[in-house]
Amino acid sequence: MKVEFDEDTCIGMFQCVAEWDAFEKDESRGKAILADSEEVEDGVFVREVPADAELDAKFAARSCPVDAITIYDDDGEQLIP
């Protein structure tokens, strides 16, 4: 499973931070940060989701009010949103 985070879309509600500890607050910029991720294009960050964190990652994606977090399965199919 993979998570993609669009930092430019993020509005800093930090609901994802409460759901999954891979997201951290960057209060100086008013944005969340996806820890241990790789920037694949400008403002878009991707990382693998550990098997034991899949549920938390899904909750984080569902909690985002602006759909800045996308979850993909191992086949690359979009699951959330």
Side-chain angles (χ1 to χ4, degrees):
M1 181 175 286
K2 178 176 78 170
V3 60
E4 180 181 279
F5 173 59
D6 186 337
E7 189 177 75
D8 294 334
T9 300
C10 177
I11 59 171
M13 296 295 294
F14 303 122
Q15 292 172 330
C16 59
V17 174
E19 297 297 340
W20 186 26
D21 61 7
F23 284 99
E24 302 169 356
K25 289 183 182 183
D26 182 348
E27 294 185 18
S28 66
R29 295 180 52 236
K31 303 273 185 181
I33 297 171
L34 180 58
D36 301 323
S37 62
E38 176 184 344
E39 190 169 15
V40 293
E41 59 184 82
D42 193 33
V44 178
F45 297 83
V46 174
R47 69 170 275 181
E48 291 294 319
V49 178
D52 64 347
E54 288 183 359
L55 190 59
D56 291 343
K58 289 176 181 178
F59 278 131
R62 287 188 180 109
S63 74
C64 182
V66 293
D67 294 334
I69 304 166
T70 307
I71 303 290
Y72 296 93
D73 68 14
D74 291 333
D75 296 323
E77 186 173 333
Q78 184 174 328
L79 300 177
I80 302 168

